[in-house]
Amino acid sequence: MSMSQHEPNLDVSVVVPLLDEQDSLKELRQRIGEAMAGLSYEVIFVDDGSRDESWNIIEGLHGATPQEVKGIRFARNYGKSAALQKGFEAAQGRVVFTMDADLQDDPKELPAMRQQLLDGGLDLVSGWKKKRHDPLSKTIPTKLYNWATRRVSGIQLHDFNCGLKCYRWQVVKAIEVQGEMHRYIPMLSKMAGFDRIGEKVVTHHARPYGTSKFGLERFTNGLLDLMTVGFMGRFGRKPMHFFGLVGMLMFLSSAGLFLAMGGYKLWALQTGQEAKNLADLSWFYVALTGMVLGAQFFLAGFLAEMVSRNDPKRTDYRVMKTLSGQ
Amino acid sequence: MNKISVAAPHGVYAALGSFVLMLAVYLIQSEWMVEWWVSLSSTALNLVFMFVACSAFRKAQGTATFGEAWTVSMVASGVAALVGMLLSMVLFFVIDPSLPQLLVDLSMDQSREMMESFGMSGAMVEMQLDEARKQVEAAFTPGGMAKNTVWAMAFWAVLSLVVAAIMKRAPKSEFA
């Protein structure tokens, strides 16, 4: 986040990424409006390449209340992370919500979540769909995924993937959501220094319109993304600390194995026992492979450092406050 | 600038490097010790250290005449040959005294194959091999190794001429 970023002028921004949700948009907008009574707010619909009438509806809603309804339309489907990122960039509220457009999240939750964020001095409040209206094929992988994410991130949330979340504006301006990292926004926030993360039980309704975009590939992709976020969080700025350590351990242990085998051959010679050539021992090939892999890890570490050093944002540290004499 | 103090350590490094290579090959597969690539690797290693020694001398002094470069290169290779001989003796007479006989046998097998591939008759091969065996066995005695080291130094002296020609650097003319 840039130091020069100005405080937003609205109370609330609600970012709604959507894909083919023509049936629910009007109702969603109306319910958000009811929930935001007394507050200045904006709803940012980000159409992620819908092929139905979603965009026309958004245009209609914008025409009716241009200050409160804004729209961003992608030329094609880029994914939920891209939609959220664009929404975050456009948001002008001091508190920013994200919610799905399928009406499974209830806009009535928004005021209470905002209150929890402000009163608790939190950076992020994540929704927790304690009672879900999803099939088992979705709830079981989700439980597994939440457990793994808790283990990797150290963030004690029950429902990382809940679309309903509430942020301080500084958080959404500081993080970059890309790929399919929208599942790990609490982790990204923590990595950016916003680690006061709370949770609120929210009502989960059955989907009234449309179809779920959940698929098995999202589970596998989620797992891979979790590994990426976990790795980037710990070693993103110092990849050699990971690759170098693994490479060094692998190389040294393999070299040690090689020396031990060599020493054994010399010892066997001195004691008159059969001294086999190391090439006749299977362990020799284990040691050889280990040494080659160790060297490869080292090289990978150097390459990663070079890539990392060329990143223009490498020294973008988030400064909270500065005291100076001027 | 003392040429010997610059060159000698590099000779020791070259000898140690060659010995480590030879020991590794011995431990992994003794039969490989008579392969051409082992000798070539050892020679290349010596050559590298001759260049490095000349480079270190040139860097320290700023210039190096052909004679100075040759002396540095020769001292480095000579020390490498002498220390290398001593280390080889440790391997052949202390660590594994049966190794010289194995290497003689392997060399003889290689020679036999080569002679047969040239179309020599069986009787002729045996006669030549008897003679060759005596020479190879002699090469693995302390005296034979010392003699070979002297021949090796003559070889390195010639090679040092090439190294010196490459590494010499005349003083810069103030009018250049």
Side-chain angles (χ1 to χ4, degrees), chain A residues 206-264:
Chain A
R207 174 183 267 276
Y209 312 107
T211 53
S212 171
K213 280 89 186 173
F214 185 86
L216 194 62
E217 79 283 355
R218 293 196 177 199
F219 186 58
T220 52
N221 290 345
L223 199 64
L224 295 173
D225 288 341
L226 174 63
M227 290 161 71
T228 305
V229 175
F231 179 83
M232 293 304 287
R234 288 188 68 181
F235 301 108
R237 286 175 192 262
K238 46 186 180 182
M240 192 59 180
H241 285 204
F242 172 77
F243 290 109
L245 182 70
V246 173
M248 196 163 64
L249 285 177
M250 204 173 256
F251 188 88
L252 289 180
S253 56
S254 303
L257 182 60
F258 180 81
L259 287 176
M261 286 187 292
Y264 178 76

Side-chain angles (χ1 to χ4, degrees), chain A residues 117 121-125 166-169 171 189 193-198:
Chain A
L117 182 89
L122 301 174
D123 297 314
L124 190 163
V125 175
C166 175
Y167 312 82
R168 279 185 191 276
W169 68 274
V171 178
S189 304
F194 299 100
D195 56 358
R196 292 168 300 178
I197 297 171

Side-chain angles (χ1 to χ4, degrees), chain A residues 258 261-263 265-266 269-270 275-280 284, chain B residues 23-32 94-98:
Chain A
F258 180 81
M261 286 187 292
K265 178 173 178 177
L266 296 178
L269 274 170
Q270 299 307 310
K276 279 187 175 177
N277 283 324
L278 301 193
D280 296 333
F284 167 71
Chain B
L23 190 64
V25 170
Y26 163 71
L27 290 172
I28 293 168
Q29 188 83 40
S30 326
E31 287 78 6
W32 288 349
V94 179
I95 295 176
D96 188 357
S98 66

Side-chain angles (χ1 to χ4, degrees), chain A residues 65-223:
Chain A
T65 48
Q67 296 303 315
E68 291 175 356
V69 176
K70 288 153 191 176
I72 296 169
R73 186 186 195 187
F74 283 170
R76 66 172 179 83
N77 178 243
Y78 284 104
K80 191 171 179 180
S81 291
L84 287 174
Q85 178 63 31
K86 278 290 154 200
F88 288 162
E89 286 171 13
Q92 294 175 37
R94 282 183 286 277
V95 172
V96 179
F97 284 94
T98 58
M99 66 188 302
D100 295 342
D102 54 12
L103 291 174
Q104 288 190 283
D105 299 325
D106 195 335
K108 281 184 188 161
E109 310 277 2
L110 303 186
M113 286 180 85
R114 177 172 172 272
Q115 214 54 47
Q116 184 176 345
L117 182 89
L118 298 176
D119 293 349
L122 301 174
D123 297 314
L124 190 163
V125 175
S126 183
W128 173 16
K129 296 168 185 168
K130 200 169 183 179
K131 191 174 177 191
R132 300 187 69 104
H133 294 275
D134 287 322
L136 269 183
S137 60
K138 187 172 174 180
T139 50
I140 290 177
T142 301
K143 276 188 191 298
L144 211 61
Y145 150 82
N146 281 319
W147 173 82
T149 310
R150 270 196 301 275
R151 298 283 297 180
V152 172
S153 67
I155 301 170
Q156 296 306 311
L157 289 180
H158 293 88
D159 191 359
F160 280 85
N161 204 16
C162 180
L164 184 55
K165 287 188 174 69
C166 175
Y167 312 82
R168 279 185 191 276
W169 68 274
Q170 292 96 332
V171 178
V172 301
K173 300 297 181 187
I175 60 174
E176 265 184 34
V177 192
Q178 49 181 307
E180 294 198 30
M181 298 298 182
H182 57 274
R183 300 181 182 90
Y184 303 104
I185 290 180
M187 274 177 85
L188 296 176
S189 304
K190 187 182 174 188
M191 280 160 55
F194 299 100
D195 56 358
R196 292 168 300 178
I197 297 171
E199 189 170 44
K200 183 179 183 309
V201 176
V202 295
T203 312
H204 182 222
H205 299 281
R207 174 183 267 276
Y209 312 107
T211 53
S212 171
K213 280 89 186 173
F214 185 86
L216 194 62
E217 79 283 355
R218 293 196 177 199
F219 186 58
T220 52
N221 290 345
L223 199 64

Side-chain angles (χ1 to χ4, degrees), chain A residues 1-3 192 316-323:
Chain A
M1 182 191 68
S2 159
M3 290 265 298
D316 271 4
Y317 303 111
R318 197 175 66 82
V319 177
M320 285 285 281
K321 284 178 185 167
T322 306
L323 298 175

Side-chain angles (χ1 to χ4, degrees), chain B residues 3 5-11 13-14 44-60 64 69 72-74 76-77 163-164 166-167:
Chain B
K3 293 184 267 301
S5 66
V6 173
H10 288 90
Y13 301 149
L45 198 65
N46 265 6
L47 205 56
V48 165
F49 276 99
M50 285 158 71
F51 274 106
V52 173
C54 284
S55 172
F57 177 79
R58 206 171 65 174
K59 197 173 175 184
V72 170
S73 173
M74 188 56 220
S77 56
V163 174
I166 295 170
M167 296 302 288

